[in-house]
Amino acid sequence: MAQPNAEPAEEYDYEGLPPNFSLVQNLVAGAVAGIAEHTCVYPVDAIKTRMQILTSGPSAGYNGILTGGYRMASKEGFSSLWRGVSSVAMGAGPAHAVYFATYEAVKHLMGGNKLGEQHHIAAAASGAAATIASDALMNPFDVIKQRMQLSGSRTAYKSMFDCARYLYRAEGLAAFYVSYPTTLATSVPFTALQFLAYESLSTSMNPNKNYDPTTHCIAGALAGGFAGALTTPMDVIKTMLQTRGSASDVELRKVNGLMDGVRLLHRREGLRGFFKGVRPRVITIMPSTAICWSAYEACKAYFIRQNDIIV
């Protein structure tokens, strides 16, 4: 039995990796968080993709979340809102496992786990490193997802595997990574902004950094919404690059990179075009990041309790 005045064991920050928290447990926590994040608000993400497509056709039908959702459900069936979710579910688990494992490892190496202190540089750098690693794994799944979210995809692709085979045969391996630089140009600042905001908010709301579901949920939602709104322009370009292979627009099909996309979008739609889909993006991201952080922190808290019991 421990004595009341005995020296306490070395304290570790709950928000960081405790000494007995294994890599496998961190991977599992990240995978659960990723699948939960992407699947729970998937229909709104499908509407956002339709809104962001650069087309000279009847895209006005997707100028709002409710009207866009109604149009998809009424013309293509309710299941159209969930087309491509299998790709996200398959890719999100491994990608988020890598994401959180990288984040925690880099944050720990940079000394970002000291109790009661805010470590903005460590949080931003850890988030950026995590994004580079996870997006390399997730990018092909994201391309497949967006192709399956397009109108007419039901007749073009029977499944995510059929879509992947078609893309590879028609456009080659480059089709899965043509948007990767743009994805990083979107995700790195998004993640850095999100982690900066999350660490600041969670530390302010919960200085002792104990497990607190309310703090993780609120801080995650606000941080995600803030970062998502600021990075919408790059997300529009990313959608353009990932869906160009299915476009009938010859000029759009020739877009090969970030700057090509920026020039074409600005010429056709002006500055306003760079914020297409900002509302569904924020509405999607806020609950997504709230769910993601809540699921991740819940898993981490569970494993910490289990490890303490074993020890």
Side-chain angles (χ1 to χ4, degrees), residues 259-308:
M259 295 313 298
D260 282 352
V262 169
R263 283 190 288 267
L264 180 60
L265 181 60
H266 184 264
R267 188 172 73 250
R268 291 193 180 182
E269 302 186 17
L271 293 176
R272 186 176 181 179
F274 289 92
F275 285 91
K276 293 191 300 182
V278 64
R279 282 179 293 180
R281 177 167 166 79
V282 171
I283 290 173
T284 301
I285 287 175
M286 287 188 71
S288 292
T289 49
I291 292 167
C292 180
W293 280 109
S294 297
Y296 176 68
E297 299 289 2
C299 285
K300 193 163 75 169
Y302 170 78
F303 285 132
I304 288 173
R305 287 195 301 269
Q306 292 300 308
N307 290 349
D308 286 344

Side-chain angles (χ1 to χ4, degrees), residues 109-192:
L109 287 173
M110 294 187 68
N113 292 331
K114 293 180 181 178
L115 192 64
E117 297 181 15
Q118 294 193 19
H119 303 274
H120 300 302
I121 295 176
S126 302
T131 297
I132 292 170
S134 66
D135 279 353
L137 182 59
M138 187 65 189
N139 210 79
F141 294 98
D142 198 49
V143 172
I144 294 168
K145 176 205 75 172
Q146 289 204 305
R147 291 296 181 93
M148 295 186 72
Q149 288 176 333
L150 299 179
S151 177
S153 66
R154 187 181 299 277
T155 56
Y157 318 117
K158 295 179 182 178
S159 66
M160 64 165 286
F161 299 107
D162 186 43
C163 180
R165 281 193 295 269
Y166 176 84
L167 287 175
Y168 180 73
R169 291 171 183 169
E171 302 173 42
L173 185 64
F176 297 101
Y177 282 99
V178 67
S179 62
Y180 182 57
T182 306
T183 297
L184 291 181
T186 305
S187 300
V188 170
F190 170 84
T191 307

Side-chain angles (χ1 to χ4, degrees), residues 7-31:
E7 288 292 322
E10 183 180 353
E11 289 188 350
Y12 59 79
D13 178 359
Y14 163 78
E15 296 294 342
L17 276 174
N20 60 349
F21 194 70
S22 73
L23 176 62
V24 173
Q25 291 172 332
N26 200 37
L27 290 171
V28 171

